[in-house]
Structures are given as C-alpha cells and as structure tokens.
Amino acid sequence: SKTFGSYQALKPVSFEIYDNEFFTLLGPSGCGKTTLLRMIAGFEQPSTGEILLRGANIQGLPPHRRRVNTVFQSYALFPHMTLEQNVAFGLENLGWAKERRQARASDMLRLVHMEQFAGRLPRQLSGGQRQRIALARALAPEPEVLLLDEPLSALDLKLRQAMRDELRNLQRQTGITFVFVTHDQEEALDMSDRICVLGDGEIQQLGTPAAIYEEPTNRFVADFIGETNFLDADVVAVEGDRATVSVPLGVTLTAPHKQASVGRRAVMSVRPEKISLPARAGQIAVEGTIVGANYLGGYTYYVVETGAAKLRVSKRNNVSRSRMFEIGQPIQVSFAAESARIL
C-alpha cells in the first residue's frame, strides 16, 4: 500500500507477475497504477508490504541497483547526445568496457530498426522514433523487468496502433517481463497476456484480456472495459454460477452471475455487439424503436428505445453500402442469455 500524508493512493494489494509475460496495469487517472509502477521501479517506497523480484526483497534498493528499467511517457532522452550515446550511457555507468558498450548499443538500435540513425540527435527524430530509442536504452542493460509508463500516449492514432505491434514483438524477442501502465482499454486488450484492472486504489479484477472483457466481476470493470448496457435486475433464483433475474425489458432470463443472491440488488450487463439487430430466432427478443444511429465505418451504433430502457446496439457493416436502419423505425432486437452477465 502507499499513503501520501492522509491520502491513500494505493490500498493494500497483492499479486504476482509471471516471468516473460506482458502484464498491464489498467485504470482511470488517480487509480494508483503509476504509484504502483514507481514503487516497483524504486522511485517510491511502499507504506506497508514488500516487493519481491524472483523471491528477493528489493524495496530497500535504490532504482539503479534494481534489475528493473523504466520507459517514461516523455522518453527522457539526453538532447545533446547521439542516439548511440543515449543507448550506451547507462552501460557506461554500469562499468561496461567501451567495445562491449558499442556492440550492445548497435545491437539494440538494430532491434528497434534505428541502426541507420545512430549518429543523429533526438531533436532530429519523430515521436515514434524517439520512443524506439527510449526502448533501446532501457533494454540495453538486460533488465529482468521493463516498466512502461503510458509510453504511447503522446503518439497519434496510426502510430500508436503500429507501436503496439512493435512493443509486443520486442517483448517476445527479448523474453523480458514487461509491466505496462495505461488508461487505454484497447491498448491493454490488444497487447497483454494478463491485465490488472485498478480502481479506487485497489484491484478490481486480474485476468486474461478475454476474461476481463467477457466475464467482468463487477460493474466497475464491465463499465471501464469497452461499452456495455446496464439494466437493473431482480434476482429470482441462484443455482451454482447461474442466476435467474427479472429485468425491465419485460423478460426473465437465466445467465452467468458474479456474487448474486436472492433479494440482493443486481445489474445485468450485455455488450452492444452481443445484441442482434434485427432479432435472431432462438434468442431473447425485445420490441423497440430506433432513436439514434452513428455510422463509424466498420460499425454502426444504434440506440433502441424499448420503453423500459434504451439499448445501445453495435452492428458490423460487413457488406458495402448495406442498408442502414432508419431513426423512428420499429425494430425487434435480441440477445442470447449466455451473452448477459449478472453483476
């Protein structure tokens, strides 16, 4: 845990990060993810608890004595040094011989596809190129863990998407454990082996991207990861991992649940892409009227007014110039009970 004065930035948390995995700390601003990263790096000390690296307690070690390196959001390159000098700088501080430093710097520049720019200064590079150099510098001393503090946030959309693949490939090539901090859900789902969702200074859920998205443990996770529709639910019965609920759509259904109990308040979550428009046979059907439509290229998002609730529905545009449904058009939508989650 970590407390600053009377403010508790991070409540007691306990978890393990596996060797050679791409692990992501995901959450909104102020949730404690950067504080947690800075404690692993050694820039902050825990108020309680300990941090172990391969079983050894490292929390008393200063940052430069931990086999942990950090890539900052600002990249923090030395402006007066060439790219090769930037990459080799930390190795010189570690006492590496000159020839070994130069060979390692060349290898790292080659790894990030920047070897042809070795003699340039950081100001002569684009944002994506500067990020590659920051990565090369952090990887050069062969750390056991690489910490990445929102390194893609300063890049434009296309470059950010391309750099996701670069980072994932780098992690696989080097075999180094990556701990990545972001508030971007899509980044986390795209790159991670596992995701730790933080909220209000504590762990809300930890699991694979598919488990986090498809099986959220609470409303916070379901709401923060992607989009979803929430409906108040009255729990009628619970049997094992399934609950029977009544929802304002005028239907009763049985769906997977997380900690539901009869008589306890619950909410049903169903994601927009899980709802079929028009309705499919064999699913739970609901009558409604289209009251909103937003065309977004690959998808069109519709808002369907059912009388008791508005449902947001995502329909893939998988046929060019396919017919769009009109605002004001009566429609029947449907979803499978298995696609809903009772939270």
Side-chain angles (χ1 to χ4, degrees):
S1 70
K2 181 63 178 178
T3 302
F4 296 98
S6 61
Y7 172 64
Q8 191 167 31
L10 190 70
K11 297 173 184 175
V13 298
S14 181
F15 61 95
E16 291 184 350
I17 298 171
Y18 303 141
D19 197 21
N20 300 337
E21 83 168 328
F22 198 119
F23 186 88
T24 296
L25 297 169
L26 173 67
S29 298
C31 71
K33 58 187 185 296
T34 296
T35 297
L36 183 50
L37 195 81
R38 288 176 61 82
M39 289 195 292
I40 298 172
F43 302 128
E44 300 284 354
Q45 293 300 315
S47 300
T48 64
E50 54 188 13
I51 298 169
L52 308 179
L53 179 58
R54 300 191 188 281
N57 191 343
I58 63 169
Q59 71 183 58
L61 296 177
H64 67 276
R65 292 190 56 201
R66 304 183 183 204
R67 294 207 61 193
V68 174
N69 271 1
T70 305
V71 177
F72 298 99
Q73 187 175 346
S74 64
Y75 313 141
L77 299 176
F78 300 113
H80 62 290
M81 293 184 183
T82 66
L83 307 188
E84 186 176 40
Q85 290 170 337
N86 261 283
V87 175
F89 179 78
L91 306 179
E92 184 176 359
N93 285 347
L94 292 172
W96 287 34
K98 184 177 180 180
E99 286 187 4
R100 187 183 176 203
R101 292 199 308 265
Q102 290 176 337
R104 181 64 175 171
S106 295
D107 288 344
M108 290 299 96
L109 288 172
R110 196 174 301 113
L111 181 67
V112 297
H113 312 297
M114 291 292 289
E115 64 270 25
Q116 70 271 37
F117 303 119
R120 291 192 183 183
L121 296 173
R123 67 172 179 269
Q124 297 173 296
L125 305 179
S126 68
Q129 290 172 326
R130 285 197 296 272
Q131 189 203 54
R132 287 191 177 97
I133 300 305
L135 283 165
R137 184 179 63 182
L139 290 168
E142 300 173 331
E144 293 191 49
V145 181
L146 186 68
L147 309 176
L148 301 108
D149 189 8
E150 304 215 33
L152 306 184
S153 61
L155 306 178
D156 62 49
L157 177 61
K158 284 285 187 182
L159 184 54
R160 199 159 66 237
Q161 291 171 334
M163 287 305 297
R164 288 182 199 164
D165 293 335
E166 295 254 0
L167 281 175
R168 197 67 177 97
N169 289 336
L170 272 175
Q171 193 270 329
R172 287 172 177 155
Q173 287 177 51
T174 60
I176 293 172
T177 301
F178 278 27
V179 182
F180 185 84
V181 162
T182 185
H183 63 272
D184 188 311
Q185 305 96 320
E186 190 174 299
E187 276 181 9
L189 292 171
D190 185 25
M191 294 191 292
S192 311
D193 292 316
R194 288 190 304 150
I195 299 171
C196 177
V197 182
L198 291 166
D200 193 27
E202 58 189 342
I203 296 173
Q204 301 290 332
Q205 188 170 351
L206 197 161
T208 65
I212 295 287
Y213 186 83
E214 298 288 352
E215 301 170 16
T217 57
N218 58 38
R219 181 168 183 154
F220 177 91
V221 176
D223 194 25
F224 187 74
I225 306 294
E227 285 190 76
T228 196
N229 295 287
F230 289 117
L231 294 167
D232 291 333
D234 294 323
V235 182
V236 177
V238 174
E239 186 173 344
D241 62 353
R242 302 175 68 78
T244 301
V245 297
S246 174
V247 293
L249 299 175
V251 297
T252 298
L253 59 98
T254 301
H257 81 91
K258 293 290 184 181
Q259 301 176 335
S261 58
V262 177
R264 187 177 174 188
R265 187 180 179 187
V267 64
M268 186 187 82
S269 166
V270 59
R271 298 209 180 266
E273 73 275 10
K274 310 291 188 187
I275 302 176
S276 301
L277 187 159
R280 290 183 183 176
Q283 295 186 338
I284 296 164
V286 180
E287 301 285 345
T289 303
I290 294 175
V291 295
N294 296 91
Y295 177 80
L296 295 176
Y299 292 84
T300 299
Y301 284 89
Y302 294 96
V303 179
V304 177
E305 172 67 73
T306 68
K310 289 182 179 179
L311 295 176
R312 192 162 168 80
V313 182
S314 169
K315 183 172 175 59
R316 187 169 182 82
N317 300 320
N318 51 7
V319 178
S320 295
R321 300 185 181 277
S322 58
R323 181 177 66 89
M324 288 182 61
F325 297 97
E326 302 293 333
I327 292 177
Q329 179 178 344
I331 197 75
Q332 189 179 61
V333 298
S334 66
F335 60 92
E338 285 297 318
S339 296
R341 287 293 178 274
I342 310 304
L343 308 173

